[in-house]
Amino acid sequence: MSLSVSTMSSTKFSTILLFILLLTFLFHTLATGSSSTTFTIVNSCNITVYPGIFYAAGTSSTTTGFSLHSGKSKVLTMPHSCSGNLWGRTNCFNNSKGMFHCRTGDCASSTMECNGRDASQPATLAKFNLNVKSNRVDYFSVTVEKGYNLPMKVQPRVGKDIGDCMTTSCMVHLNKTCPLELKVMSERQCIGCKSPCQPLSKNCYSELTKACPQNATSVCASTDYLIEFCPTSTRCV
Ligand SMILES: *[C@@H]1O[C@H](CO)[C@@H](O)[C@H](O)[C@H]1NC(C)=O
Ligand SMILES: *[C@@H]1O[C@H](CO)[C@@H](O)[C@H](O)[C@H]1NC(C)=O
Ligand SMILES: *[C@@H]1O[C@H](CO)[C@@H](O)[C@H](O)[C@H]1NC(C)=O
Ligand SMILES: *[C@@H]1O[C@H](CO)[C@@H](O)[C@H](O)[C@H]1NC(C)=O
C-alpha cells in the first residue's frame, strides 16, 4: 500500500517536472526567439570603418553607429522584425566643435550613432528586411543606388537552404573608373563615387552598376549574416 502511494506520487512528480520543463522551454523559445537574427560585421579593410544602421521599420534596441577598427568584428542581435540599411562610413573625424562627420556615408547626426538618420552619398548599402510578416523570411541586397564607397559582401551563414538564398556583394574597389565629376576625394585618393542619378534610383545604369551588378534580392531564412567590408578577392577597377 505505502509502496503504491509512493509510486503514484513519484509519477505525479515526474509529470509536474516534465510540465515545468516544457513550460520553461516554451517560454525561453518565445522570449529569446529561436528566429532571432544576428549580423556579424567584419572590417577587412585596412582603415577604420564606422558602420551606420538606419531602421525604416522595427524599433531598434541595438546600436545605430559605432567604430570598427581594421581586422575587428562585432556581433549585433537584430530586432525580431525590422528593415533598413547598413553601410560603412569612412574618413571620419570630429570637427573643431566636437561634431562627428564622415567624408563618405555620413548620416549627419553629428555623433557616432546615426540615431534614426540614413546614409548620404556616397555609400555602398546593404538593405535588409528581416522576418517579414513573422514568417522568418529575410530579404537583403547590396546596392550602389546611393553611390559607392566600400566593397561589401552579405553572406547568409546558418539555415540558408531556401529558394533564392545567395551571397550578395559588390566585390570591386571602384576608384579608377568613377567619372571625375562624381569622385569624392580625400588627400588625393578617390574614397567614393556618387550615383549619377538624381533622384536616386534603383534602376539607374552607370559606371557603378556596370562594375557592381545589382543582383536580385536574396531571400533567406538564415539566423546569422556575415556582413564584410573589403572582403578578400576584391578587384580594383
Ligand atoms: C591599404 O591598402 C591599400 C591597397 O589595398 C594600400 O594602397 C594602402 O597603402 C594601404 N593603407 C595602409 C594605411 O596600410
Ligand atoms: C570623436 O569623438 C568621439 C566621442 O568623444 C570618440 O569616441 C571618437 O573616437 C572620435 N572619433 C574620431 C574619428 O576621432
Ligand atoms: C551576381 O549573381 C551572379 C550569379 O547569379 C554571380 O555570378 C555574380 O558574382 C553576382 N554579382 C555580385 C556582384 O554579387
Ligand atoms: C584606388 O585605391 C587603391 C587602394 O586603396 C589605391 O592604392 C589607389 O591609389 C586608388 N586610386 C585612386 C585613383 O585614387
Side-chain angles (χ1 to χ4, degrees), residues 10-225:
S10 125
T11 310
K12 217 173 191 173
F13 182 69
S14 316
T15 311
I16 288 168
L17 196 70
L18 201 72
F19 188 64
I20 289 171
L21 277 174
L22 197 71
L23 268 184
T24 312
F25 173 75
L26 273 176
F27 184 74
H28 186 262
T29 308
L30 284 175
T32 59
S34 60
S35 61
S36 93
T37 307
T38 53
F39 281 176
T40 302
I41 305 166
V42 177
N43 178 11
S44 298
C45 306
N46 63 4
I47 53 168
T48 300
V49 170
Y50 298 83
I53 305 171
F54 166 72
Y55 291 94
T59 39
S60 116
S61 49
T62 64
T63 176
T64 56
F66 54 93
S67 71
L68 200 57
H69 293 293
S70 174
K72 298 286 180 204
S73 65
K74 190 180 176 83
V75 179
L76 301 180
T77 300
M78 302 303 287
H80 175 70
S81 186
C82 65
S83 66
N85 301 326
L86 190 152
W87 70 100
R89 293 167 288 174
T90 67
N91 300 72
C92 302
F93 58 95
N94 290 308
N95 70 12
S96 57
K97 289 177 182 158
M99 291 180 175
F100 185 79
H101 287 291
C102 301
R103 293 208 164 88
T104 73
D106 194 34
C107 56
S109 63
S110 300
T111 63
M112 215 181 287
E113 294 273 343
C114 283
N115 295 327
R117 290 163 193 262
D118 204 353
S120 59
Q121 287 221 65
T124 316
L125 296 181
K127 298 183 136 193
F128 58 84
N129 195 349
L130 305 178
N131 295 302
V132 180
K133 294 181 196 140
S134 307
N135 63 2
R136 298 189 186 178
V137 172
D138 308 324
Y139 296 83
F140 65 87
S141 59
V142 171
T143 141
V144 290
E145 69 194 58
K146 266 197 180 176
Y148 164 91
N149 70 337
L150 289 170
M152 203 173 175
K153 177 174 91 172
V154 181
Q155 181 183 350
R157 292 206 293 189
V158 186
K160 56 185 175 179
D161 49 352
I162 63 162
D164 300 316
C165 186
M166 60 191 169
T167 295
T168 72
S169 62
C170 172
M171 295 289 280
V172 293
H173 191 84
L174 209 163
N175 62 354
K176 289 186 208 149
T177 49
C178 182
L180 201 58
E181 68 276 15
L182 298 174
K183 277 185 173 173
V184 177
M185 307 293 293
S186 176
E187 286 156 11
R188 293 205 214 142
Q189 288 264 325
C190 172
I191 58 168
C193 187
K194 291 189 176 181
S195 168
C197 306
Q198 295 292 340
L200 300 167
S201 133
K202 200 177 174 173
N203 302 314
C204 169
Y205 184 79
S206 64
E207 291 299 325
L208 288 178
T209 49
K210 202 156 74 183
C212 227
Q214 299 294 274
N215 277 5
T217 300
S218 189
V219 186
C220 296
S222 179
T223 49
D224 183 56
Y225 293 94

